[in-house]
Amino acid sequence: MLNFIYNIILLLLIPILVPLGYIIAYRKGEDKDYFERIGFIKIDKNIEKSIWIHCASVGEVRSIKTLYSTIKREFPDLSIVISTTTATGKRIAAEELNPDVAILLPIENRWAISYLLDILQCKLFIIVDTEIWPNLINTVHKKIPLILINGRISNRSFKRYKMLQFIFKPLLNKFTKIFTKSPEDTDKFKELLTTEDKLKTLGNIKFLNFSRPEDLGIIPPNKRILVAASTHEGEEELVIDAFLDIIDLDIFDQLVIAPRHLNRIDSVKDLCTKKGLKISTLTKYNSDVDAVIVDRFGSLEYLYSLSLKIFVGGSIVNIGGHNIFEALQFKKVIAVGPHMQNFQEIFTLALKYNVVKVIENKKDLIDYLKSQYQNADFENFFKALEFSSREKLNPIIEEIRDAID
């Protein structure tokens, strides 16, 4: 009954959502493939056997690089289909992974999904991270095995899932297997499903995906910069105060602040100005200012590659931390706060091999900014990550093997 009501609502909304969505896509320059979202997808290849991997956007696409190459190596005759929710995600998938088929997901169009499963000869469907699309899940479940990898439920989402457990429990039960990011996530799924038969804790598969950032050519390579990345309210002030306290030591030429949410740029600008810093934005870069505010997406790895020191936010305030591998891949000891529970696995390894410094206050941050870390063991840190990555992928590979045999 719930599924019937859901689809009636979708049908009523289509006359509004389709043209509105097209206008938005046109304004963003993403109208070329827009109608794939509705289900108008042309497959111009003869696919004999495939698996379909769905990724929400760029982050999820890049997170499966190691998995993708492993599948290609283990099953050279198997075609791989990648769908994304965003146009940028599709472009990155095509450019960086080069799958046999890259498409935009026909959102909640069960007829299009069913048709594609047949024409692509799909044997297994993989959803990356916790993407819950009822029609997608119900349609796939009727035809082929469905697994979830990198499964995670935030504390905020968990409250909503529990309140609507009568909706989410049947959907989650449609998965053949759910591979979670942490024991804490496994416990949350277990509470929702009231069973652990489908669950296995693998850890985060996003790590060990090295990338070569595009040289944006904005900041001179000889500029000595301190990068504060993915910051939240309260963290910028801490970094600014530490930067100002050591400004006379001539360690850094500039502070670069990349707020986690771009809608906070104005407030970060106001804070910098209040503290007496001359500022510019990254898109209008000025070499002579004290601080640069990042006002565009997709710049972090470029900035990490140039930096002398890095602070990754979401960790002083209790957000749970953000991805630190993107910074650590450049073999630079980074600073984070104590709240790294969302990335506990890599954080624990980083502590073990002395490639991360935990700070709790301004004094800690100043000590980090002034110190050299000669005992950082990046070689064994990356070896440990590689071993962990291989171990994690084995159960997924076995699910694929069972599905295609």
Side-chain angles (χ1 to χ4, degrees), residues 134-147:
N135 280 350
L136 172 66
I137 292 171
N138 286 322
T139 303
V140 173
H141 169 71
K142 293 176 183 177
K143 288 178 170 283
I144 57 174
L146 171 67
I147 67 173

Side-chain angles (χ1 to χ4, degrees), residues 299-310:
S299 306
L300 276 186
E301 292 187 347
Y302 162 71
L303 295 169
Y304 290 152
S305 70
L306 296 177
S307 65
L308 286 183
K309 292 289 177 70
I310 301 166

Side-chain angles (χ1 to χ4, degrees), residues 322-340:
H322 294 298
N323 188 350
I324 57 175
F325 178 79
E326 292 175 348
L328 290 171
Q329 66 178 320
F330 298 105
K331 298 184 178 179
K332 298 175 183 181
V333 176
I334 69 168
V336 297
H339 303 294
M340 286 295 296

Side-chain angles (χ1 to χ4, degrees), residues 76-95:
D77 297 327
L78 181 67
S79 297
I80 299 180
V81 179
I82 293 181
S83 65
T84 63
T85 308
T86 68
T88 306
K90 177 186 172 181
R91 177 177 61 79
I92 294 298
E95 291 175 357

Side-chain angles (χ1 to χ4, degrees), residues 1 11 28 35 47 150-151 172 264 285 297 363 387 403:
M1 185 64 180
L11 287 172
K28 294 169 65 176
F35 289 99
I47 304 294
N150 241 31
L172 292 173
R264 295 190 56 247
Y285 178 75
F297 292 109
K363 180 182 179 301
F387 177 79

Side-chain angles (χ1 to χ4, degrees), residues 37-236:
R37 299 180 188 277
I38 304 168
F40 295 98
I41 299 172
K42 181 180 179 182
I43 305 298
D44 55 6
K45 293 183 178 180
N46 182 27
I47 304 294
E48 295 184 1
K49 184 187 293 186
S50 74
I51 62 168
W52 183 338
I53 306 175
H54 175 65
C55 306
S57 191
V58 175
E60 290 74 22
V61 169
R62 287 178 169 159
S63 78
I64 64 166
K65 283 183 178 179
T66 303
L67 173 61
Y68 181 87
S69 60
T70 303
I71 295 171
K72 278 296 185 184
R73 184 176 63 251
E74 293 286 329
F75 310 103
D77 297 327
L78 181 67
S79 297
I80 299 180
V81 179
I82 293 181
S83 65
T84 63
T85 308
T86 68
T88 306
K90 177 186 172 181
R91 177 177 61 79
I92 294 298
E95 291 175 357
E96 297 187 9
L97 299 182
N98 191 29
D100 298 278
V101 177
I103 59 174
L104 290 175
L105 180 72
I107 295 177
E108 293 301 74
N109 185 332
R110 51 186 174 173
W111 298 285
I113 293 167
S114 180
Y115 167 77
L116 288 169
L117 290 172
D118 291 338
I119 197 171
L120 293 168
Q121 298 291 307
C122 282
K123 304 300 179 184
L124 177 70
F125 199 106
I126 300 173
I127 295 179
V128 182
D129 287 5
T130 312
E131 280 263 296
I132 305 296
W133 294 104
N135 280 350
L136 172 66
I137 292 171
N138 286 322
T139 303
V140 173
H141 169 71
K142 293 176 183 177
K143 288 178 170 283
I144 57 174
L146 171 67
I147 67 173
L148 176 67
I149 64 175
N150 241 31
R152 174 179 174 265
I153 303 176
S154 68
N155 291 334
R156 183 182 301 175
S157 296
F158 183 65
K159 292 177 182 178
R160 185 169 66 251
Y161 284 18
K162 280 291 292 181
M163 187 168 55
L164 300 173
Q165 189 170 5
F166 66 97
I167 294 176
F168 288 105
K169 180 179 178 180
L171 290 171
L172 292 173
N173 266 315
K174 301 288 174 64
F175 287 91
T176 307
K177 203 79 175 181
I178 295 175
F179 295 108
T180 65
K181 288 175 67 171
S182 71
E184 293 77 18
D185 291 308
T186 300
D187 289 341
K188 290 172 185 173
F189 277 104
K190 181 181 177 181
E191 189 170 340
L192 288 172
L193 290 167
T194 63
T195 179
E196 56 185 334
D197 295 343
K198 299 174 181 286
L199 304 175
K200 184 175 179 64
T201 305
L202 281 192
N204 197 331
I205 69 163
K206 288 186 177 182
F207 307 132
L208 212 66
N209 292 310
F210 291 90
S211 60
R212 295 180 181 178
E214 178 187 358
D215 183 1
L216 301 178
I218 299 173
I219 299 177
N222 61 343
K223 205 74 170 173
R224 300 171 301 170
I225 63 172
L226 162 62
V227 173
S230 298
T231 55
H232 295 255
E233 186 175 0
E235 294 178 326
E236 292 97 358

Side-chain angles (χ1 to χ4, degrees), residues 310-323:
I310 301 166
F311 166 73
V312 180
S315 55
I316 293 288
V317 298
N318 194 359
I319 300 297
H322 294 298
N323 188 350

